[in-house]
Amino acid sequence: MSTVRMYLISDIEGFTPQIGRLVSMMNYARLTTLNTVKGLTTEQLDYHYVAGIRKAEEGIV
């Protein structure tokens, strides 16, 4: 599938229309995620807990 087509949410041959659109959206999510993390090291991608940092939910009143 071409990169330009990856940005279109559309039917995909071989799938029902609804499943084709879902696959299309998943392909887009994969493409944008891979482009975002391209070049990052494993260390940069690892989650690190920092003690004392509050969750966003805790700050909501």
Side-chain angles (χ1 to χ4, degrees), residues 47-61:
Y47 172 80
H48 298 282
Y49 173 76
V50 179
I53 300 296
R54 293 177 35 190
K55 292 182 183 177
E57 300 86 21
E58 294 174 357
I60 299 173
V61 178

Side-chain angles (χ1 to χ4, degrees), residues 1 5 8-27:
M1 186 176 288
R5 183 152 169 83
L8 299 174
I9 305 301
S10 61
D11 299 347
I12 298 178
E13 187 177 333
F15 295 100
T16 63
Q18 294 86 357
I19 297 299
R21 290 181 204 125
L22 175 63
V23 170
S24 182
M25 288 183 245
M26 292 170 63
N27 284 335

Side-chain angles (χ1 to χ4, degrees), residues 36-57:
T36 300
V37 300
K38 189 184 306 180
L40 295 179
T41 65
T42 302
E43 181 68 25
Q44 291 170 314
L45 293 170
D46 283 346
Y47 172 80
H48 298 282
Y49 173 76
V50 179
I53 300 296
R54 293 177 35 190
K55 292 182 183 177
E57 300 86 21

